[in-house]
Amino acid sequence: MEAKKIVIIGGVAGGASAAARARRLSEEAEILLLERGPSVSFANCGLPYHIGGEIADRSRLLVTTPESLRARFRIGVRTRSAVTAIDPAKKEVEIKDLESGEVYRETYDALILSPGAEPVRPPIPGINSPNVLTLRNMEDMDRIIQALDGKQHATVIGGGYIGLEMAEALRRRKIATALIELAPQVMNPADPEMVSILHQELTLNGVDLRLGTSVTGFSDSAKGLKLSLSSGETLETGIAVLAIGVKPETSLAKAAGLALGPRGGIKVNDRMQTSDPAIYAVGDAVEVTDFITRQPALIPLAGPANRQGRIAADNIFGRDTRYQDTQGTAICKVFNLAVGMTGLSEKAAKRAGISFEKVYIHPTSHASYYPGAAPLSIKMLFDPQSGKVLGAQAVGSDGVDKRIDVFAVAIRAGMTVFDLENLELSYAPPFGSAKDPVNFAGFVAANALRGDVRLCHAEDVINPAAQQKLLDVRTPGEVSVGTIPGSMNIPADELRGRLGELSKEKEYFVFCRVGHRGYLACRTLTQNGFKCRNLTGGYITYQRTIGMAAHEMPEAHHPENDFGDQDFQPTAKDTLLKRVKTIDACGLQCPGPILHLKQAIDDIQVGEAVCVTATDPGFVADAPAWCNTTGHELASLEPAEKGSYRATIIKRSPAVCGNVQQSGKRAMTNVVFSNDFDKAMAAFIIANGAAAAGYEVTLFFTFWGLNILRKAGPVTARKNLIEKMFGFMMPKGPDRLTLSKMNMAGMGLAMIKGIMRHKNVMSLPALIGQAKLSGVHLVVCTMSMDLMGIKSEELIDGIEEGGVAMYIDRLSRSSAGLFIS
Ligand code: FAD
């Protein structure tokens, strides 16, 4: 083979892989690896774990040293050597020795660019403060560790995987930690209902999670930094770690005239060749093709970078090896949980206009009777015609990696859900189930495609139409912890004997805890001539979709020794308790832990306590809900050993419990009389806030208030002339409202909407959607409709009609009521 000189820019994931592969392919080649930093081939993925202390020995992060690359591979390694320019015509690079300052040139026959991606630093006032740090390499890591010295509080900005890993690392160092994320969810590539449980996990582990919030400014303060937030608040912190994303390092490529792709990365072909045939580029700096959508994408992950490095070297030495696109297989540890994904998410499918169906399953990581079984939640997307698997996401404390990897292979191999049914996967009770969760996802999806059952989703049950009815087939014990508003309960085992209670005119949205009993019930109903659909993923998916996560729990439910104590010693209140019963409900799924809790509470005296340990993450939401409905007191709720959760509940007297049971959930009933934009905003902000705080909220729309709920487009409704004229003069829906003051022919309104966008305040239509998702009752006054000539067809879906009696009834059950006029 002809001797070649290969120059590689960047000596970590892609660069070091390319260099080692090049040597394996050619003993004659001259290989020169140029790295700006002091180390090559370090484990950037391990950096957060050294900060957190799991990887105690810093040197373990240095996977290879320049010396060992020289000795084993005869690679010329020059660290602290920054390439400052490329001259494609002369096939030369310009290098600056960062130690001596010397600038010199090297020629190449083939050049490989692997410069990676740099952290995004938006132009926020004060962002250049030395206390605002980023994490990309060993030096950044050392700087963060040094800056944390003596600090009591730190803030992570950005809830992607680096941000999440940093938040955990900081809590492991017993530092009070805030995590600020602009989106309403962490881990943005995943779908929101799959990560709402991570919000709970973060909060339980003492992270002050602020979603839907951005930082608008940094200023130095006595404690280190003061952050101004989009919420209008300020936050005193020691340091801030900026982890809001990365952007490809393309400056060298751009200056050399290499083509960039539409997403801003270096454009390459499937041989990793740039627009200059002698120059290859790999890793985070390049644009790839998304395996599913076939769209250009930036997917900065270590696996693709390493494989691309190999492929570039292969092609330089005449091997026809092709990169086969990126499907975005990723996993992240968040305290006791892991979240993993591969292929298409629902969000991405919608963005790309790809049609899909989805199923959710909530099995256990291994046979539920073998100790240590942990709940696992899986969402799978597939093509509704062919059944081809398009994407999967999983979250749980055990077994996420194994399932995501099987899905990743299935997607790569172009398998369908029917193939998943037939996969033969390893099984013994400590490791899995005879029907593995991946097989199960296949069964559920294939059942739907074969027409054995029709599916419905949380989005459907939140907004049922008039002829649709919700049927909860769980046991009364399960229902006592919570159900979907408006549903009727017939336990699955009683269904055949109670079919007379159902109507063949209606369509039933059937649900159980995870979807299995719902499926059985649907089979019974269908064969008896009823119309029905099964809620895939059942009540658990519904809860996760509406975001019933514990980060919204009242303060009292958090460990009281918050911040600075990762071990969560019992609280002072706990130690004073006479803890007569300890229950191990690990491995049990809902309602198991709650049923055990109830049994134990029945057996003890008032004032005594039960301490329950459970592995079901749903228990974190169920325990407070059960206490709320029964009146017993939740003394503490905290993460415990091996991914479990521990709740301490004090038995309260029948008098207290009786009051709670009588009054039920706290309620608020507000009248919305006005159709002014500002007043409508206030009405929905209050309603959403109250719903999040656990109130059952009713908004009663009367007179002008009705206009807020009108559909924007043309609606055919039978009206007389006066009604038509009246309807024409009044605003149609939230986008047509005006300000009550300073509207200035719409200028004031436009200004307010601009400010709202800038400050990330939800729009009025989004607030209305959120209110519906949170179960806020939107009731329209039928008398006002009649007076103003507004017909039901003109109003948005999912609202109730009622009169003054309904209003008075709701008000009499409420502890608060406002008149918004
Ligand atoms: P890098 O590995 O970043 O290497 C680029 C190198 O090029 C840098 O060392 C840089 O100094 C050098 N360089 C740049 N310009 C020049 C120049 N002009 N001259 C000389 N040298 C130059 N991915 C995962 O898949 N899983 C994970 O768990 C994971 N965790 C991560 C955690 C952290 C904290 C970080 C920062 C990244 C993580 N990643 C993870 C991403 C993964 O590390 C990257 O996708 C991968 O390293 C990209 O490889 P690369 O070769 O393109 O760039």
Side-chain angles (χ1 to χ4, degrees):
M1 185 177 289
E2 187 196 341
K4 280 188 174 174
K5 180 171 175 185
I6 320 289
V7 172
I8 301 167
I9 304 175
V12 191
S17 291
R21 178 71 174 166
R23 174 57 72 228
R24 289 197 295 274
L25 296 178
S26 168
E27 272 298 309
E28 288 77 38
E30 182 185 347
I31 304 168
L32 179 58
L33 188 64
L34 301 166
E35 168 56 51
R36 190 169 54 191
S39 352
V40 288
S41 200
F42 59 87
N44 24 21
C45 309
L47 303 177
Y49 301 100
H50 180 60
I51 297 175
E54 290 105 315
I55 303 173
D57 180 357
R58 183 185 186 277
S59 68
R60 298 293 300 271
L61 296 172
L62 296 165
V63 184
T64 310
T65 59
E67 294 70 37
S68 66
L69 277 180
R70 280 183 205 118
R72 182 161 300 172
F73 295 105
R74 204 162 39 82
I75 291 171
V77 181
R78 294 185 203 157
T79 53
R80 304 284 292 136
S81 300
V83 175
T84 45
I86 303 168
D87 186 339
K90 291 189 182 155
K91 289 195 173 178
E92 279 182 3
V93 289
E94 181 187 86
I95 303 155
K96 180 170 186 183
D97 182 327
L98 297 176
E99 297 294 335
S100 65
E102 183 199 350
V103 176
Y104 61 99
R105 295 171 91 85
E106 285 281 353
T107 58
Y108 61 80
D109 295 314
L111 177 68
I112 302 178
L113 304 180
S114 188
E118 60 185 334
V120 171
R121 284 183 88 94
I124 302 171
I127 197 163
N128 292 325
S129 158
N131 287 320
V132 181
L133 298 141
T134 51
L135 178 62
R136 179 180 178 185
N137 51 36
M138 304 273 287
E139 299 73 65
D140 293 339
M141 176 187 78
D142 295 338
R143 264 191 292 276
I144 290 175
I145 293 174
Q146 200 181 12
L148 285 172
D149 194 27
K151 300 286 193 313
Q152 305 292 318
H153 190 283
T155 301
V156 178
I157 304 167
Y161 67 86
I162 296 179
L164 291 170
E165 288 168 359
M166 270 311 301
E168 181 174 348
L170 292 166
R171 290 299 291 137
R172 286 186 70 89
R173 292 178 75 99
K174 303 186 190 303
I175 289 175
T177 305
L179 174 58
I180 295 176
E181 166 59 57
L182 172 64
Q185 66 165 94
V186 297
M187 206 69 186
N188 227 355
D191 291 323
E193 74 283 11
M194 294 305 290
V195 297
S196 56
I197 197 151
L198 299 183
H199 302 161
Q200 170 182 298
E201 186 70 10
L202 287 159
T203 311
L204 269 178
N205 282 283
V207 175
D208 171 14
L209 178 64
R210 310 212 187 174
L211 297 171
T213 306
S214 60
V215 177
T216 53
F218 300 90
S219 53
D220 291 333
S221 76
K223 287 188 180 161
L225 265 184
K226 189 153 105 183
L227 310 186
S228 306
L229 306 179
S230 56
S231 58
E233 294 162 295
T234 55
L235 181 65
E236 286 278 350
T237 193
I239 67 161
V241 180
L242 200 60
I244 56 174
V246 294
K247 61 171 197 272
E249 281 226 19
T250 53
S251 49
L252 275 179
K254 214 160 136 186
L258 301 180
L260 301 187
R263 305 291 310 276
I266 303 173
K267 197 175 161 90
V268 288
N269 61 19
D270 58 0
R271 293 190 162 103
M272 308 313 299
Q273 219 165 10
T274 66
S275 52
D276 180 324
I279 304 180
Y280 292 74
V282 302
D284 290 358
V286 305
E287 218 164 89
V288 291
T289 301
D290 183 290
F291 184 73
I292 309 279
T293 64
R294 314 304 310 151
Q295 303 288 318
L298 295 171
I299 306 178
L301 289 170
N306 278 278
R307 292 199 306 280
Q308 291 163 2
R310 271 175 70 95
I311 290 170
D314 274 3
N315 281 286
I316 289 169
F317 290 101
R319 294 201 179 187
D320 185 11
T321 318
R322 308 294 178 108
Y323 185 63
Q324 293 171 21
D325 308 325
T326 304
Q327 67 193 78
T329 307
I331 188 162
C332 176
K333 177 178 176 302
V334 184
F335 294 95
N336 287 318
L337 296 179
V339 58
M341 67 211 75
T342 183
L344 208 59
S345 66
E346 183 170 343
K347 282 191 236 179
K350 286 180 176 160
R351 263 197 313 267
I354 293 176
S355 69
F356 66 91
E357 179 54 286
K358 57 179 175 175
V359 291
Y360 298 86
I361 55 166
H362 303 281
T364 48
S365 54
H366 59 246
S368 53
Y369 55 83
Y370 186 86
L376 183 66
S377 294
I378 294 176
K379 173 180 185 177
M380 178 177 71
L381 267 69
F382 53 97
D383 184 291
Q385 259 72 50
S386 66
K388 195 166 167 182
V389 184
L390 299 174
Q393 296 162 58
V395 61
S397 59
D398 185 30
V400 168
D401 49 349
K402 166 167 153 165
R403 274 58 189 224
I404 283 300
D405 284 347
V406 177
F407 280 115
V409 173
I411 291 171
R412 206 26 90 155
M415 287 185 185
T416 65
V417 299
F418 307 108
D419 295 319
L420 297 189
E421 292 185 291
N422 291 311
L423 287 185
E424 188 177 315
L425 302 168
S426 62
Y427 163 63
F431 305 104
S433 304
K435 289 178 199 149
D436 190 86
V438 179
N439 297 128
F440 235 101
F443 296 142
V444 175
N447 284 342
L449 288 184
R450 288 192 190 103
D452 292 346
V453 67
R454 290 173 63 228
L455 299 179
C456 66
H457 299 292
E459 306 84 274
D460 304 314
V461 304
I462 286 163
N463 254 335
Q467 80 289 357
Q468 292 167 329
K469 196 98 189 81
L470 273 68
L471 176 59
D472 185 344
V473 295
R474 296 174 304 152
T475 61
E478 292 171 278
V479 176
S480 72
V481 180
T483 186
I484 304 176
S487 55
M488 63 188 288
N489 176 225
I490 304 180
D493 294 348
E494 297 172 19
L495 187 61
R496 287 188 187 84
R498 293 176 61 180
L499 291 175
E501 294 173 36
L502 304 176
S503 157
K504 291 196 171 153
E505 305 308 312
K506 305 249 179 231
E507 180 185 41
Y508 289 93
F509 289 156
V510 182
F511 68 95
C512 61
R513 192 178 73 85
V514 295
H516 185 63
R517 280 169 293 167
Y519 166 59
L520 301 179
C522 278
R523 293 297 303 151
T524 303
L525 289 173
T526 311
Q527 291 178 63
N528 281 283
F530 291 94
K531 289 185 280 236
C532 59
R533 289 201 263 159
N534 185 29
L535 174 62
T536 169
Y539 185 63
I540 293 188
T541 299
Y542 165 81
Q543 276 184 308
R544 304 243 173 116
T545 304
I546 64 165
M548 259 191 217
H551 77 284
E552 288 170 352
M553 288 189 318
E555 205 58 39
H557 298 154
H558 295 175
E560 287 171 9
N561 59 339
D562 199 12
F563 292 150
D565 189 352
Q566 181 65 22
D567 301 320
F568 296 111
Q569 299 303 319
T571 62
K573 193 172 182 182
D574 287 355
T575 50
L576 291 176
L577 288 172
K578 200 172 152 207
R579 197 178 280 160
V580 290
K581 259 200 183 309
T582 307
I583 298 172
D584 181 1
C586 293
L588 296 181
Q589 304 269 349
C590 172
I594 289 293
L595 294 179
H596 279 66
L597 167 62
K598 182 180 180 314
Q599 174 87 53
I601 285 278
D602 288 347
D603 292 347
I604 61 172
Q605 302 298 315
V606 169
E608 293 175 342
V610 176
C611 178
V612 191
T613 310
T615 41
D616 180 2
F619 181 65
V620 176
D622 290 347
W626 186 80
C627 290
N628 238 355
T629 43
T630 58
H632 300 297
E633 184 186 339
L634 183 63
S636 66
L637 179 56
E638 59 206 11
E641 307 75 35
K642 294 189 186 152
S644 62
Y645 306 92
R646 188 183 302 120
T648 304
I649 289 127
I650 308 168
K651 180 165 178 163
R652 287 298 170 213
S653 70
V656 174
C657 299
N659 285 343
V660 169
Q661 274 153 9
Q662 256 174 35
S663 60
K665 199 175 173 185
R666 290 174 301 172
M668 170 185 263
T669 300
N670 299 340
V671 176
V672 186
F673 181 83
S674 161
N675 64 9
D676 290 330
F677 174 81
D678 37 355
K679 294 172 186 170
M681 283 291 294
F684 277 95
I685 287 171
I686 294 168
N688 280 313
Y695 279 78
E696 178 157 11
V697 184
T698 302
L699 289 182
F700 192 79
F701 294 84
T702 183
F703 281 90
W704 313 115
L706 292 178
N707 292 318
I708 303 170
L709 302 180
R710 288 177 75 194
K711 288 178 187 157
V715 178
T716 28
R718 283 172 71 93
K719 288 188 170 198
N720 61 35
L721 186 65
I722 306 270
E723 286 173 340
K724 276 187 189 154
M725 278 173 58
F726 217 52
F728 179 73
M729 288 186 295
M730 293 187 300
K732 278 175 106 181
D735 288 329
R736 296 292 164 85
L737 309 185
T738 53
L739 280 177
S740 64
K741 291 193 170 74
M742 293 169 55
N743 192 52
M744 299 180 293
M747 261 169 58
L749 181 66
M751 280 162 67
I752 278 282
K753 286 188 176 174
I755 295 169
M756 281 165 53
R757 267 195 302 277
H758 180 65
K759 296 197 177 268
N760 291 311
V761 177
M762 282 169 95
S763 67
L764 183 53
L767 282 167
I768 295 174
Q770 179 62 44
K772 284 161 74 180
L773 273 176
S774 311
V776 172
H777 300 278
L778 306 181
V779 182
V780 287
C781 169
T782 43
M783 185 273 293
S784 304
M785 284 173 71
D786 194 32
L787 278 183
M788 302 172 78
I790 292 180
K791 310 293 175 196
S792 305
E793 310 87 277
E794 289 182 81
L795 298 171
I796 58 171
D797 297 334
I799 55 175
E800 302 162 48
E801 293 181 11
V804 71
M806 187 174 182
Y807 166 64
I808 297 295
D809 174 54
R810 298 270 166 104
L811 187 64
S812 67
R813 289 190 271 124
S814 301
S815 56
L818 299 171
F819 193 92
I820 298 168
S821 66

